[in-house]
Amino acid sequence: MMSLTSYWVEITAHTELEKNPFPMGIGVTAYNDNDAKGIIQRDAIGSRQSLTISSLREISFDDIENDHVKKNMGVFIERGIWFPKGLNRTAIIRS
C-alpha cells in the first residue's frame, strides 16, 4: 500500500489580467510530489494557463496556519485537496 504525504503548494499568476485565486496557497495530500502536482493541475488550475505552481513542500499538521487554514480545511489524511475546502473532487462526503 502506498503512503500519502501532505504538501503546501503556492501558485503564481503570470499576468496582471488574472488575479491569483489561491493567495494563501493550496493544501493537498498525495502519493508523491508528481501526484500532488497532477491533482492541483486537474482540480485547481485547470485550463488557466497563466497560473503555475511556484513552490511545493511537505507539511505536517502542526505546521498548518491556525487562524484561517485549519478552520477552513477538509480532510488532511485523504488523497486530494484539503485547502481550500471544496476543491477535492474525489473526497468522501461527510455530514
Side-chain angles (χ1 to χ4, degrees):
M1 185 169 161
M2 296 180 71
S3 63
L4 293 168
T5 302
S6 295
Y7 299 91
W8 191 255
V9 181
E10 293 181 12
I11 303 295
T12 300
H14 294 285
T15 69
E16 293 180 21
L17 299 175
E18 183 162 7
K19 184 178 176 185
N20 183 352
F22 310 106
M24 293 189 71
I26 298 174
V28 62
T29 299
Y31 296 122
N32 54 48
D33 59 345
N34 286 330
D35 186 39
K37 290 174 185 176
I39 292 169
I40 296 293
Q41 184 64 47
R42 181 192 71 213
D43 295 348
I45 294 175
S47 64
R48 294 178 279 199
Q49 295 179 1
S50 66
L51 300 179
T52 58
I53 295 172
S54 56
S55 72
L56 181 140
R57 63 180 170 87
E58 290 185 24
I59 191 170
S60 71
F61 186 77
D62 293 335
D63 295 332
I64 298 171
E65 189 269 337
N66 281 312
D67 292 331
H68 183 75
V69 177
K70 279 188 181 174
K71 293 178 182 177
N72 296 288
M73 64 187 272
V75 181
F76 181 78
I77 59 172
E78 292 177 354
R79 183 175 176 266
I81 295 173
W82 43 266
F83 182 86
K85 193 175 0 180
L87 289 180
N88 189 352
R89 295 182 186 175
T90 59
I92 298 169
I93 305 300
R94 293 180 168 79
S95 53

